[in-house]
């Protein structure tokens, strides 16, 4: 019982200690305010240098005056000399504060008020300490913002993943490598724009609120517009509006934007995510393969300086030509089943039963082929591979293959067993498109929540004439994961969707 009592008292003791820390920090703030030094009244602090600049250009800056600002991450020394670790957006620099340099009054006021986590502005001179560390010798230290909550303990940091995602601001403070991921994310998106702009693509913006969900097989989020008194949908894809622009005469367009899908969450899925889609008139999936491969290779070299990335201990070579294989070939190779010999739905169901593939009664032959691919083949496509020849049954927006009308001119790009891109020779036959929409609508009526309705306005646009067009969609978050080594989509989203904490 003694041990149990001792253990139960530990949380209480920790809580009391935290309460004391919070009390002391607030008292420091109140004292500063009483003395006319309210840190929150500062509106600006002029800086002329970053921490990394001082480290990289020490020889030029030695003995020169500088002004820096950032957060205090640690402090040492409580007598006449104090060492402060200041971190700004570029990195870390040591601040050397000495009583006979700053003046006794200013130095003591700083020591009495300062806490780890406070944001400060420092004016001083660049020098090297006796131990050889490049530092800023402080002439003046101004507390610009008081941290009323303490940072996580130094040696354990912020490691709980749930806490990191919920309090991303704290994650960024404590884990500098996290900031590097999001800097790379920004550079990746910039590289994508740079590449497409160089190819004469025009960046556009299309509606996020749709009156009809379409462009992908996904369950939408539904909202209500009060003025119009209609239900509306957060977009699940960018596709249909972008193809309307090709009808209108733009020959190359792209959009990088948020999509929303009311689906499950895992390491590769978040309810809102960033998609890149681009469309080019007078080309097809072969042109889309070329530009997709070139875009990914360009982005990797631009951001990483290399076409080689490591994923789960495997080197992924983005410099080699991407492999190409049809879905029929993949299932034949990895599952030992030749669907080219399957003529009826009943034959497909028999094969599925024999191979323990779970299917629903509504599934057609092409959908069962896709289930075989997902079960036996998907994980095998580790190096970049274009999967082609998707059945019409799962490709309502892609042109049929003229040599085999059961299949389409479509590809998906797989890397490390996961899908990264999806592209078509876009279906521009309005009669064929109507039939496929109607098939989708029937599937939705039969209980398929991911099927789409008939989009009459899009069909009208097609009737005015869509030129032969290639289109591609790629998950930006997944590309960022690949190029940064992140294991979860939450690691590349600044604020991933989280279930609210219950009080």
């Amino acid at each position: 019982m003694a041990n149990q009592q001792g253990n139960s008292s530990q949380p209480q003791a920790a809580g009391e200690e935290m309460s004391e820390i919070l009390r002391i920090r607030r008292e420091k703030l109140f004292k500063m305010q009483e003395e006319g030094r309210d840190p929150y009244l500062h509106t600006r602090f002029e800086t002329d240098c970053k921490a990394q600049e001082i480290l990289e250009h020490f020889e030029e800056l030695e003995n020169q005056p500088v002004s820096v600002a950032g957060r205090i991450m640690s402090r040492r020394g409580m007598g006449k000399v104090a060492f402060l670790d200041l971190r700004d957006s570029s990195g870390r620099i040591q601040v050397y504060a000495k009583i006979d340099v700053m003046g006794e009054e200013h130095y003591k006021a700083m020591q009495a008020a300062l806490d780890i986590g406070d944001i400060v502005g420092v004016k001083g001179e660049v020098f090297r300490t006796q131990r050889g560390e490049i530092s800023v010798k402080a002439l003046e230290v101004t507390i610009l913002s008081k941290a009323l909550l303490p940072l996580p303990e130094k040696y354990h940091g912020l490691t709980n993943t749930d806490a990191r995602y919920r309090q991303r601001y704290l994650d960024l403070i404590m884990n500098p490598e996290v900031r590097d991921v999001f800097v790379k994310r920004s550079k990746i998106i910039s590289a994508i724009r740079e590449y497409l702009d160089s190819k004469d693509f025009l960046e556009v913006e299309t509606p996020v609120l749709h009156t009809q969900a379409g462009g992908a097989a996904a369950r939408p989020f539904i909202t209500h517009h009060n003025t119009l008194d209609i239900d509306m949908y957060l977009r699940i894809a960018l596709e249909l509006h972008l193809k309307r622009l090709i009808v209108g005469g733009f020959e190359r367009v792209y959009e990088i934007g948020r999509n929303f899908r009311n689906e499950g969450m895992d390491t590769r899925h978040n309810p809102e995510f960033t998609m890149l889609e681009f469309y080019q008139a007078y080309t097809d999936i072969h042109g889309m393969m070329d530009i997709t491969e070139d875009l990914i290779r360009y982005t990797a070299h631009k951001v990483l300086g290399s076409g080689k990335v490591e994923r789960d201990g495997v080197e992924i070579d983005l410099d080699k030509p991407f492999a190409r294989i049809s879905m029929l070939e993949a299932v034949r190779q990895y599952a030992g089943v030749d669907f080219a010999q399957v003529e009826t739905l009943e034959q497909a169901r028999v094969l599925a039963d024999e191979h323990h593939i779970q299917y629903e009664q509504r599934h057609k032959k092409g959908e069962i082929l896709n289930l075989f691919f997902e079960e036996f083949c998907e994980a095998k496509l580790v190096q970049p591979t274009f999967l082609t020849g998707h059945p019409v049954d799962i490709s309502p927006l892609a042109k049929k293959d003229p040599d085999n009308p059961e299949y389409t001119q479509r590809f998906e790009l797989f890397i490390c067993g996961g899908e990264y891109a999806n592209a078509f020779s876009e279906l521009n036959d309005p009669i064929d498109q109507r039939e496929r929409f109607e098939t989708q609508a029937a599937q939705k009526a039969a209980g398929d929540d991911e099927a789409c309705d008939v989009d009459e306005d899009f069909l009208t646009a097609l009737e005015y004439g869509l030129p032969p067009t290639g289109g591609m969609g790629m998950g930006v978050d997944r590309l960022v994961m690949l190029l940064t080594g992140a294991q979860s989509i939450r690691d590349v989203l600044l604020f991933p969707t989280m279930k609210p904490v219950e009080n």
Side-chain angles (χ1 to χ4, degrees), residues 101-119:
V101 174
M102 292 180 61
E104 183 174 354
E105 181 180 352
H106 187 61
Y107 179 84
K108 286 184 176 180
M110 177 203 74
Q111 286 284 60
L114 190 67
D115 286 304
I116 294 173
D118 288 353
I119 295 172

Side-chain angles (χ1 to χ4, degrees), residues 443-464:
Q443 291 174 344
K444 185 173 183 178
D448 185 351
D449 292 337
E450 295 186 349
C452 63
D453 291 314
V454 178
D455 189 329
E456 291 292 349
D457 183 74
F458 179 67
L459 290 172
T460 299
L462 288 188
E463 290 182 357
Y464 280 102

Side-chain angles (χ1 to χ4, degrees), residues 58-79:
F58 171 72
E59 292 182 359
E60 304 166 32
L61 293 173
E62 187 175 12
N63 298 324
Q64 296 299 312
V66 292
S67 178
V68 294
R71 188 181 298 274
I72 298 301
M73 299 302 296
S74 68
R75 61 187 292 189
R76 305 173 300 284
M78 295 298 291

Side-chain angles (χ1 to χ4, degrees), residues 70 174 295 297 468:
M174 298 306 299
L295 168 64
R297 189 173 295 132

Side-chain angles (χ1 to χ4, degrees), residues 40 47 54 77 122 142 144 157-158 178 181 185 191 193 220 294 305 355-356 400-401 415 443 446 457-458 483:
Y40 303 130
T47 63
I54 296 173
V122 178
T142 304
L144 304 173
L158 186 68
V178 172
V181 168
R185 180 189 174 101
R193 283 195 167 97
D294 197 36
H355 290 79
H356 308 291
K400 291 178 181 176
D401 184 342
I415 306 174
Q443 291 174 344
D457 183 74
F458 179 67
L483 299 184

Side-chain angles (χ1 to χ4, degrees), residues 140-429:
E140 181 182 332
V141 176
T142 304
I143 299 177
L144 304 173
S145 184
K146 190 77 184 145
L148 299 181
L149 289 172
L151 297 178
E153 193 269 328
K154 176 181 177 182
Y155 294 102
H156 296 94
L158 186 68
T159 57
N160 179 279
T161 53
D162 188 75
R164 287 179 51 224
Y165 300 145
R166 290 184 187 281
Q167 296 179 284
R168 182 65 85 186
Y169 47 89
L170 201 54
D171 186 28
L172 292 167
I173 291 171
M174 298 306 299
N175 300 312
E177 67 278 6
V178 172
R179 182 182 309 207
D180 294 340
V181 168
F182 290 104
V183 169
K184 282 183 180 174
R185 180 189 174 101
S186 180
K187 290 180 178 178
I188 288 167
I189 293 173
S190 294
I192 291 171
R193 283 195 167 97
E194 184 178 281
Y195 177 86
L196 291 172
D197 290 346
S198 75
K199 300 295 183 182
D200 296 324
F201 282 82
L202 178 71
E203 184 173 12
V204 297
E205 294 177 299
T206 61
V208 173
L209 281 175
H210 291 182
T211 56
Q212 196 165 355
R219 184 184 297 111
F221 286 95
I222 304 173
T223 186
H224 189 79
H225 191 287
N226 292 332
T227 300
L228 297 178
D229 193 24
I230 59 171
D231 284 343
M232 300 190 77
Y233 306 88
L234 294 180
R235 68 183 175 197
I236 58 175
L238 311 172
E239 179 166 346
L240 299 184
H241 280 89
L242 292 176
K243 286 198 283 194
R244 285 173 169 91
L245 297 179
I246 300 294
V247 171
F250 289 110
E251 294 186 357
R252 299 186 182 205
V253 295
Y254 77 94
E255 183 171 7
I256 299 172
R258 287 291 211 195
N259 283 350
F260 306 84
R261 297 183 183 178
N262 195 355
E263 299 173 341
M265 298 168 59
D266 56 32
T267 58
R268 294 174 62 82
H269 296 88
N270 191 70
E272 59 175 307
F273 57 97
T274 302
M275 280 291 292
L276 160 71
E277 291 198 28
F278 58 81
Y279 292 82
Q280 180 179 339
Y282 311 113
T283 190
D284 59 9
I285 63 162
H286 301 291
M288 288 295 101
M289 284 187 200
D290 293 341
I291 196 171
T292 299
E293 182 172 339
D294 197 36
L295 168 64
I296 292 173
R297 189 173 295 132
Y298 173 89
T299 303
H301 279 274
K302 183 76 175 181
V303 176
L304 305 179
S306 171
K308 309 289 193 300
V309 295
E310 186 174 309
R311 189 78 184 168
D312 300 325
V314 177
E315 183 180 81
I316 304 301
D317 192 346
L318 301 174
D319 286 329
K320 286 185 179 179
F322 292 6
R324 303 184 182 192
I325 188 172
S326 72
M327 186 177 288
L328 285 175
E329 292 168 349
V331 171
R332 187 184 303 120
Q333 178 177 335
Y334 295 111
V337 175
D338 187 0
F339 257 80
Q341 305 303 316
V342 177
E343 298 180 353
T344 66
L345 173 58
E346 191 55 42
Q347 289 175 330
R349 287 174 173 173
V350 169
L351 284 171
D353 292 336
E354 291 175 353
H355 290 79
H356 308 291
I357 298 291
Q358 298 294 319
Y359 60 90
E360 299 177 23
Q361 286 301 308
R362 62 181 174 82
H363 284 151
K364 299 181 178 180
K365 187 178 76 170
E367 292 172 300
I368 292 177
L369 169 60
N370 187 55
L371 292 174
F372 267 87
F373 169 77
E374 291 175 348
E375 178 68 24
F376 292 104
C377 313
E378 193 168 307
K380 305 290 198 316
L381 305 183
V382 177
Q383 294 298 326
T385 303
F386 288 120
L387 179 79
T388 62
H390 294 64
V392 171
D393 295 334
I394 61 169
S395 309
L397 295 165
K399 270 191 176 183
K400 291 178 181 176
D401 184 342
D403 297 325
N404 195 343
E406 285 189 44
Y407 300 91
T408 60
Q409 295 182 344
R410 173 185 175 186
F411 76 74
E412 290 178 291
L413 173 62
F414 285 88
I415 306 174
C416 299
E419 179 204 341
Y420 279 76
N422 186 23
F424 313 140
S425 292
E426 300 296 337
L427 178 58
N428 61 346
D429 178 344

